[in-house]
Amino acid sequence: MHVLVVGATGYIGSRLVPHLLGAGHDVRVLARAPHRVPAHAWADRVEVVAGDARSPADVTVACDGVDAVVHLVHAMDGPCYADRDRAAAHALADGAAASGVRRIVYLGGLQPGDDGRPVSPHLRSRREVGDVLLAGPVPAVVLRAGIVVGTGSASFEMVRHLSDVAMGGPPMLLLPDRAWNRIQPIAVDDVLHALAGSLGLPAEVSRGFDIGGPDVLTYRAMMSEYAAEVGLVRPFPVPVPVSAPRLTARAVAALTPVDRELVGPLVESMRHDLVADPADTTALDALIGPPPGGHTPYRTAVRRALDGVGAAGPGPSDVPGSGPLAWETTDAHDVDAPAHAVWSVIGTLGGEHGWYTVPGVSTLAGFLDVLAGGPGRLPRRHPAGRPRLVAGEPLDGWVVEAVEPGSRLLLRATAPLPGVAHLDIRVRPTGRLSSAYTQTLRFRPRGLAGRLAWLAALPAQRFVCAVMARTLTGVAETRYREAVRSP
């Protein structure tokens, strides 16, 4: 089947394209910004048509000769997004009809029941787009999903980062009352299965289907289950009977990588219960079959995202800052000595030689261990006959994770920190008698305690690391000059 994907460089689209290619489909993409396409591994396997999804002429050209269209345009990046989405829907309905397209598939959002509350503008726009496509002459399937679970999904990244901040902190957690509303999350792999499967439905099927995973949870429970999956302590939740969506959106934007323009509509939609109609799920399963292995439970979907498995892993179209929070600081120096001379000094790190840093600080891991309540200095151990730098070998308060002799040493801190710390030391030649040294400390905090520990240690850590980098490279230069002068 020849399939046009509109919105191919977005979160879902960038994962759907390789899914379709793997199923044997020919894929064309309509891209308003074609320069973004080469960032994707599938770029050289698709036909790219430059154009605007809101332009009837551009859409008609893109639809020419294709069998089906998957519409994944969700503006939500500023004011008047509903107008832009409506224009794109009408352009597709008309362009697909004019070009003889046989099927349209659209991914929208779950809709609330009659709870007496005004429907949020975000969800109202999703419903309107679906209605426009279903009213057109081309058979359409409108899939309505809630929170999509996978790295890079804006709604999942909100859950991830809010949970990381809130869980493992105070024993009680204040949450807005809407956190007790229900939602039915769905794994990104299950969404891709539903989109691809709907392409082959017979022409008489032109309707909407709610889709969701097997778990119906409150937003509070989603955070709690995420925390349990990553090993964070879950505090006792206390509802705050006040809804302040604008204030909440500002707080969420400050604590997560999701842009405020995107956070606002998502937070506004939390005022509703968003649960799939089980009859829809049953009907769609009967038509296209359930996902391989069955519908994915929420905890399993979270684990896939954490492990970076398949479509649940990171991608170039993800929300900036997606994935686990990780901070890093880097010290870099140009060295007037060849790389092998610098490496010879790196090979002496630890033990009786120390870490070329502030006297009394045996190692940065030991320094951080003091903050964590530990002894601060761990002995270096070397089994007899083994070389110093070997993967898996303890090195003071570190363990060697990787060694590339002459160029790289990667260490992981073993101190009981509220997070995971790595020290990445690299050296590369820049000339016959010169080299470049870089020393990067990376820290992935665990819960609120990890964030506070990093911020508290940052001034002293920067001083300790800077002294280490400057001293180590200075020692390398001095030893090399002495070696050259020696007869």
Side-chain angles (χ1 to χ4, degrees), residues 82-481:
D83 295 336
R84 296 196 296 274
D85 279 359
R86 184 186 310 110
H90 283 292
L92 177 58
D94 296 340
S99 300
V101 172
R102 298 197 300 269
R103 165 67 62 192
I104 294 174
V105 178
Y106 167 65
L107 179 63
L110 285 176
Q111 297 296 312
D114 186 11
D115 57 7
R117 302 180 182 182
V119 177
S120 72
H122 159 53
L123 295 179
R124 187 166 61 246
S125 173
R126 297 293 175 265
R127 182 174 63 195
E128 181 183 17
V129 170
D131 290 345
V132 168
L133 297 176
L134 288 172
V138 177
V141 166
V142 174
L143 301 175
R144 298 179 289 256
I147 287 180
V148 178
V149 182
T151 298
S153 162
S155 50
F156 175 69
E157 293 300 336
M158 285 173 51
V159 171
R160 180 208 296 269
H161 287 270
L162 289 174
S163 301
D164 285 342
V165 171
M167 305 298 174
M172 291 192 301
L173 176 62
L174 300 179
L175 291 171
D177 56 359
R178 62 182 59 193
W180 272 257
N181 290 340
R182 298 180 303 151
I183 185 71
Q184 191 164 355
I186 182 170
V188 62
D189 294 280
D190 293 3
V191 173
L192 301 183
H193 170 79
L195 288 168
S198 297
L199 291 171
L201 290 175
E204 60 267 22
V205 179
S206 187
R207 53 164 291 188
F209 294 93
D210 290 354
I211 59 174
D215 302 310
V216 176
L217 305 166
T218 63
Y219 292 94
R220 174 195 63 81
M222 285 185 63
M223 294 175 62
S224 183
E225 292 296 298
Y226 171 89
E229 191 63 32
V230 300
L232 292 172
V233 176
R234 293 179 282 183
F236 183 76
V238 178
V240 178
V242 176
S243 293
R246 291 185 179 179
L247 181 61
T248 301
R250 290 180 180 179
V252 171
L255 295 172
T256 74
V258 184
D259 185 83
R260 183 179 169 186
E261 295 288 353
L262 188 58
V263 167
L266 294 176
V267 169
E268 187 68 19
S269 298
M270 288 176 60
R271 69 187 181 199
H272 308 288
D273 283 336
L274 299 175
V275 179
D277 184 341
D280 282 353
T281 303
T282 301
L284 188 62
D285 282 353
L287 291 168
I288 68 171
H295 295 277
T296 308
Y298 174 66
R299 287 279 289 268
T300 302
V302 168
R303 176 47 52 191
R304 289 178 182 172
L306 294 173
D307 293 341
V309 177
S317 293
D318 295 352
V319 174
S322 294
L325 177 64
W327 284 314
E328 66 177 46
T329 59
T330 298
D331 295 276
H333 290 281
D334 294 324
V335 190
D336 292 327
H340 68 81
V342 180
W343 183 258
S344 68
V345 179
I346 294 172
T348 66
L349 284 171
E352 65 277 10
H353 294 283
W355 289 77
Y356 302 97
T357 187
V358 181
V361 180
S362 61
T363 165
L364 183 60
F367 169 72
L368 293 176
D369 185 47
V370 172
L371 294 181
R377 183 183 179 96
L378 300 175
R380 182 173 183 171
R381 300 185 300 276
H382 289 298
R386 288 186 61 188
R388 286 184 170 183
L389 300 181
V390 176
E393 181 185 4
L395 186 64
D396 288 351
W398 304 90
V399 63
V400 178
E401 284 212 339
V403 180
E404 298 174 18
S407 62
R408 186 190 185 202
L409 172 64
L410 180 63
L411 306 172
R412 175 176 52 80
T414 57
L417 304 172
V420 179
H422 283 92
L423 185 62
D424 193 350
I425 300 173
R426 300 174 185 243
V427 59
R428 61 177 178 83
T430 56
R432 190 172 66 87
L433 299 178
S434 62
S435 58
Y437 174 89
T438 58
Q439 173 188 296
T440 301
L441 177 69
R442 298 186 181 92
F443 184 64
R444 181 172 292 176
R446 185 169 178 266
L448 180 61
R451 285 165 165 78
L452 296 177
W454 172 268
L455 296 174
L458 186 59
Q461 175 257 105
R462 290 306 306 127
F463 178 65
V464 169
C465 286
V467 172
M468 175 181 168
R470 179 66 271 177
T471 304
L472 189 152
T473 54
V475 168
E477 290 175 338
T478 300
R479 290 182 182 177
Y480 180 69
R481 286 195 298 267

